[in-house]
Structures are given as structure tokens and as C-alpha cells.
């Protein structure tokens, strides 16, 4: 059983030449798979060592998040980019078969080559079961895709990772190049079209431009041409066209669940609403044969004891996160509509939640406190943002610097009009540091 990275590396690299392994994708994005969070009983080794969490190398400092982050940085490094084509040659290319494979010591048992064995032509059941056992336990060589040496990857424009890059520790005030020039941002002389007359509630960037709607409104994917609205005196909700008052459809069903305070649309035809009733409602939006919009309640989700004040959803991870005035946060399964985890009580009413679509991490704002959780509801970090006198955090989001987001950047805004950027220190998973360069300069932008 896989229990130690050190012993697995020793086995595959020098102790056992028949031990051929490759890293699965989870090694580059999912730290949870290295932890036995459900406390399953896996038994013990012959020396009596109990099996549980995977033993990490010393440089990971006992943190699965640090291990995954460093591993992903190494994968994205210029060194790997410069040598990636050699791996392609071995697995999919011209070194998979023939003399080139022999020269590269890349030859395996004939059973591993799918194009060399035809199971339907084997009549002996013992031989057939032996071959199937080989394939089941050790895998099979993929089909050859390239017959010529693969060209090297063009690393032009990639962010450098190495001793002078982000692979090693970065000074607290240093932002990656994509954010280091934020203080030079200037207001565009061309205003956003169709700017809403009231407070802005949502901004969506599309291929056709930037779309904005007022508070208590959200745009519906994937065309972003419909707007879902709430906050009316009679507790109803409505659907209207973007930039037009025509074709307004009023939905009375949400009124049965009190005042709607927040809503998200994670997928086309799926709406999540919540509010004063403390119930999170999942709705199915459909179109009747006559073209009229219909809203059908799929399932009410119970778990909060106070009004639900904020919602966030991630279609990538299939989760919804709700925050409440009772200081609790709950992670819901978007597809099964069941509760996955309950976050421990926060120091104040939750004002904003956000989900990182790259990692599944969850950020929660409560008063002046910012906390970070993984997708399983385990705490990663927390801090007091030290907002200016009388101010509290009102919004937050994850900044997509890169798809692997080395620094785990989080932007927060408070009721005093100030914006701060925070980064997660992977070496100290229980601490968030503020990027001093972003403080103030971001607030002025």
C-alpha cells in the first residue's frame, strides 16, 4: 500500500527496477488525498507501523498543502518545460517502440503492449487470466501518437520558477509580476456600457465585453442575457432580459420562503436562493412550450438557525457554500443537494464567502476575521484583518494569478472602502500574511 513518498521513490528509482510508476494528477492539485481524514483502518506494516496519512518528505514540513504547492511549482518550472518532450517521446512518441525504445531502456513485457496481444484469439483461460492480471495490476502502454521526436515546449512568456522565482520563499511584500504593477492601473477613459443606475451587485467579463447589474440581481449563464432579480416588497423574484424591461416574468414561489437576501446561479437552469427563513433553496429554471419561464423548487436545504446572508457556488467542484447570521457556514453538494460539512462558528455574522475554482478552498469573512478552509471543511488559516475603525469585511474573492496559484492570493474589501490582498504561507498553514504593496494601492485603484 502507498504509505510513504520516500520509500516509494526509493523503490521506483533504485531498489526495484520492475517498480514502474507515474504520478497521478492528484499529486499536483489535491492535498486531501494524502490525508486519511476519515480515519479508515488500513492495518499496519510488518514492523507494526500503523498506516494512516501518507508520510511526506522533510521539505514539506508535514503540510500536504505545501507538498502539493511545491510539486505543482516544479511541474510548471522552466526545467520541466525544457525536458517535457523527452517524457512525451518515452510514453507516446518514437521511443515507445523499436530500436529507439531499446536504446532508451524503455522496453516492457509484451503483455503490456495492447497492439501486440489479442485476447479474443487466446483460447487458454489460464493464459488469458494471466494477461488480464498483468494489465490490471501494472497497466498498459498507451497507443503510440508520434513517430518522430517531439519538439520542446515553447516556454516563452511562462513565469520563471526556480531559485529566483516562486519555488522558494518570497518576501512578504513581493507580489508576482501579474499583480506587482497594480499601483500603475489607471481608470479607463471609456466607461463600461449600460452602467446600472444603482449600486453594482455583479460584474461579469465576457468575450463581448464587461457586463454589470445592480445589487440584488445576477446574470444567468451561459449567454448572460437574462437577469434574476430579488428584494421586492412582496418577497417575489423576477426574470428579465439584460438591458431591457421587456419580457419580465414574476415568480411567486420564493415568497413562501421569506425575504430573499442572496442568490447564485452556478449552472444554466439552476438557481440557489436563501434569506430570512434560514433555508437554502435549490430551484430549477425551465421554459414552457409557450416560452414562459418557470421556477420549480428542487429541494429546500435546512441547517442554519439564522438568516442566510451570503452564498457562493462552484460548478467545477460541485459545491455550494452558505453563510449565516448565526455565524455558521455550511458546504452543500450541488448535485445531490445534501450537506457535506459544517464549518465551526465564526466570531461574527458571515458577510461574504468565496470558492477557489482551482483548489476548492473556501474563504469566509465574518466581522474583521478572514478564515480559509479546504473543500472538506478543515481549517487552513485564519486572521484578523485589522480593518480601520468601525469597518468590517464585506466581500472577498480568490485572485487567479495562475491556474496553480502558488501564493494562494485572496482579495478582501471592507465597508470603509479599502481593499487588501492576502497570501497563504504554505510553510505556515495557520497564518495569512498581508501583501504590503497591495494595501492602499489596491484601495486607491
Amino acid at each position: 500500500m502507498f504509505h510513504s513518498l520516500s520509500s516509494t521513490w526509493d523503490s521506483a528509482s533504485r531498489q526495484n527496477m520492475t517498480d514502474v510508476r507515474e504520478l497521478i494528477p492528484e499529486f499536483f492539485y489535491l492535498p486531501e488525498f494524502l490525508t486519511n481524514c476519515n480515519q479508515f483502518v488500513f492495518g499496519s506494516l510488518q514492523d507494526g507501523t500503523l498506516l494512516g496519512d501518507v508520510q511526506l518528505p522533510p521539505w514539506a514540513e508535514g503540510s500536504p498543502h505545501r507538498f502539493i504547492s511545491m510539486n505543482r511549482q516544479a511541474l510548471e518550472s522552466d526545467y520541466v518545460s525544457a525536458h517535457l518532450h523527452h517524457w512525451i517521446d518515452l510514453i507516446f512518441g518514437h521511443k515507445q517502440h523499436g530500436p529507439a525504445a531499446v536504446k532508451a531502456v524503455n522496453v516492457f513485457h509484451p503483455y503490456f503492449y495492447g497492439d501486440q496481444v489479442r485476447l479474443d484469439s487466446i483460447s487458454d483461460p489460464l493464459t488469458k487470466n494471466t494477461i488480464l492480471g498483468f494489465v490490471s495490476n501494472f497497466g498498459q502502454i498507451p497507443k503510440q501518437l508520434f513517430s518522430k521526436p517531439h519538439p520542446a515546449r515553447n516556454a516563452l512568456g511562462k513565469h520563471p520558477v526556480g531559485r529566483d522565482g516562486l519555488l522558494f520563499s518570497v518576501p512578504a511584500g513581493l507580489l508576482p509580476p501579474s499583480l506587482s504593477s497594480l499601483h500603475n492601473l489607471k481608470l479607463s477613459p471609456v466607461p463600461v456600457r449600460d452602467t446600472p443606475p444603482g449600486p453594482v451587485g455583479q460584474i461579469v467579463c465576457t468575450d463581448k465585453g464587461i457586463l454589470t447589474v445592480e445589487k440584488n440581481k445576477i446574470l444567468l449563464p451561459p449567454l448572460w442575457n437574462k437577469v434574476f432579480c430579488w428584494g421586492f416588497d412582496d418577497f417575489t423574484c423576477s426574470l428579465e432580459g439584460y438591458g431591457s424591461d421587456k419580457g419580465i416574468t414574476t415568480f411567486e414561489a420564493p415568497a413562501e420562503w421569506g425575504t430573499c437576501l442572496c442568490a447564485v446561479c452556478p449552472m444554466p437552469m439552476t438557481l440557489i436562493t436563501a434569506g430570512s427563513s434560514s433555508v437554502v433553496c435549490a430551484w430549477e429554471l425551465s421554459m414552457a412550450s409557450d416560452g414562459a419561464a418557470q421556477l420549480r423548487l428542487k429541494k429546500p436545504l435546512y441547517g442554519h438557525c439564522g438568516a442566510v446572508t451570503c452564498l457562493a457556488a462552484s460548478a467545477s467542484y460541485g459545491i455550494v457554500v452558505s453563510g449565516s447570521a448565526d455565524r455558521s457556514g455550511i458546504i452543500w453538494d450541488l448535485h445531490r443537494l445534501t450537506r457535506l460539512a459544517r464549518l465551526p462558528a465564526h466570531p461574527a455574522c458571515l458577510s461574504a464567502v468565496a470558492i477557489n475554482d482551482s483548489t476548492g478552498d473556501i474563504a469566509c469573512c465574518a466581522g474583521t476575521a478572514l478564515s480559509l478552509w479546504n473543500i472538506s471543511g478543515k481549517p487552513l488559516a485564519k486572521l484578523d484583518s485589522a480593518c480601520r475603525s468601525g469597518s468590517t469585511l464585506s466581500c472577498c474573492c480568490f485572485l487567479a494569478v495562475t491556474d496553480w496559484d502558488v501564493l494562494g492570493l485572496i482579495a478582501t474589501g471592507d465597508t470603509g472602502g479599502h481593499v487588501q490582498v492576502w497570501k497563504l504561507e504554505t510553510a505556515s498553514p495557520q497564518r495569512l500574511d498581508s501583501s504590503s504593496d497591495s494595501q492602499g494601492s489596491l484601495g486607491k485603484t
Side-chain angles (χ1 to χ4, degrees), residues 295-379:
L295 196 64
R296 182 183 67 85
L297 180 64
K298 296 173 67 176
K299 187 177 181 181
L301 305 176
Y302 300 93
H304 292 292
C305 298
V308 178
T309 53
C310 50
L311 289 170
S314 171
S316 302
Y317 281 87
I319 60 172
V320 175
V321 179
S322 57
S324 172
D326 65 7
R327 303 187 300 161
S328 69
I330 298 180
I331 306 174
W332 309 91
D333 188 309
L334 176 59
H335 303 291
R336 295 186 177 90
L337 298 178
T338 56
R339 188 172 68 180
L340 296 177
R342 186 183 186 90
L343 306 180
H346 293 72
C349 166
L350 270 74
S351 55
V353 290
I355 304 172
N356 189 333
D357 275 330
S358 296
T359 63
D361 293 341
I362 298 164
C364 298
C365 297
T368 60
L370 172 64
S371 56
L372 190 64
W373 314 81
N374 68 9
I375 195 172
S376 301
K378 304 298 182 182

Side-chain angles (χ1 to χ4, degrees), residues 11-65:
S11 174
S13 61
R14 64 172 180 267
Q15 294 177 353
N16 184 0
M17 290 297 99
T18 63
D19 188 359
V20 181
R21 301 177 187 239
E22 286 191 5
L23 300 184
I24 59 177
E26 284 77 2
F27 272 90
F28 304 102
Y29 78 92
L30 190 67
E32 287 79 14
F33 94 99
L34 297 167
T35 305
N36 183 17
C37 58
N38 292 316
Q39 301 298 315
F40 288 123
V41 179
F42 293 125
S44 60
L45 301 176
Q46 291 181 348
D47 61 3
T49 302
L50 294 177
L51 296 174
D53 297 344
V54 174
Q55 298 174 14
L56 303 174
W59 51 262
E61 301 178 1
S63 169
H65 284 78

Side-chain angles (χ1 to χ4, degrees), residues 60 127 258 284 384:
T127 303
E284 180 182 15
D384 191 306

Side-chain angles (χ1 to χ4, degrees), residues 1 14 22 53 73 88 95 124 131 133 135 166 176-177 183 201 229 275 282 303 318 331 367 371 416 418 425-426:
M1 177 179 287
R14 64 172 180 267
E22 286 191 5
D53 297 344
Q73 292 178 60
I88 295 175
K95 293 183 179 180
D124 183 14
I131 296 174
V135 173
L166 297 178
H183 62 280
C229 316
I331 306 174
S371 56
H418 303 101
E425 291 284 359
T426 54

Side-chain angles (χ1 to χ4, degrees), residues 381-401:
K382 61 180 178 180
L383 61 79
D384 191 306
S385 62
C387 295
R388 301 189 182 186
S389 178
S391 298
T392 58
L393 294 177
S394 57
C395 59
C396 63
C397 70
F398 288 91
L399 301 180
V401 179

Side-chain angles (χ1 to χ4, degrees), residues 57-285:
W59 51 262
E61 301 178 1
S63 169
H65 284 78
R66 177 177 174 82
F67 172 81
I68 295 296
S69 177
M70 300 287 279
N71 216 30
R72 185 62 183 264
Q73 292 178 60
L75 176 67
E76 302 289 347
S77 69
D78 287 340
Y79 178 86
V80 171
S81 292
H83 295 80
L84 186 62
H85 60 291
H86 298 312
W87 174 81
I88 295 175
D89 289 339
L90 291 170
I91 306 301
F92 303 103
H94 77 291
K95 293 183 179 180
Q96 188 189 94
H97 292 283
V102 176
K103 186 176 181 180
V105 196
N106 192 39
V107 180
F108 299 91
H109 194 283
Y111 289 167
F112 296 149
Y113 296 88
D115 57 351
Q116 296 186 14
V117 178
R118 295 184 59 86
L119 290 176
D120 53 0
S121 64
I122 300 175
S123 58
D124 183 14
L126 181 60
T127 303
K128 181 179 292 187
N129 288 334
T130 300
I131 296 174
L132 291 175
F134 266 101
V135 173
S136 176
N137 285 280
F138 300 103
Q140 200 169 37
I141 306 299
K143 290 184 178 180
Q144 188 177 24
L145 301 179
F146 310 106
S147 58
K148 298 179 180 180
H150 198 278
R153 180 183 181 186
N154 181 8
L156 183 62
K158 284 181 75 273
H159 182 68
V161 179
R163 188 165 296 278
D164 297 324
L166 297 178
L167 182 58
F168 298 89
S169 60
V170 182
L174 182 63
L175 283 170
S178 55
L179 292 180
S180 61
S181 60
L182 280 175
H183 62 280
N184 294 325
L185 285 177
K186 296 180 180 180
L187 185 65
S188 170
V190 181
V192 177
R193 291 187 309 150
D194 302 325
T195 303
V200 176
Q202 185 188 32
I203 301 174
V204 176
C205 297
T206 69
D207 296 337
K208 297 181 179 180
I210 299 175
L211 308 179
T212 62
V213 291
E214 297 175 68
K215 186 179 180 181
N216 292 346
K217 294 183 178 181
I218 56 172
L219 287 156
L220 305 186
L223 301 179
W224 311 108
N225 60 351
K226 299 291 185 182
V227 181
F228 182 74
C229 316
W230 67 93
F232 303 108
D233 293 338
D234 58 359
F235 302 158
T236 60
C237 298
S238 68
L239 185 69
E240 62 185 44
Y242 178 69
S244 172
D245 293 333
K246 297 180 179 179
I248 297 179
T249 302
T250 300
F251 302 120
E252 297 183 356
E256 300 177 7
W257 301 94
T259 304
C260 180
L261 300 177
C262 48
V264 291
C265 183
M267 299 181 298
M269 304 303 172
T270 298
L271 281 166
I272 309 293
T273 64
S276 60
S277 67
S278 77
V279 181
V280 178
C281 295
W283 305 87
E284 180 182 15
L285 180 63

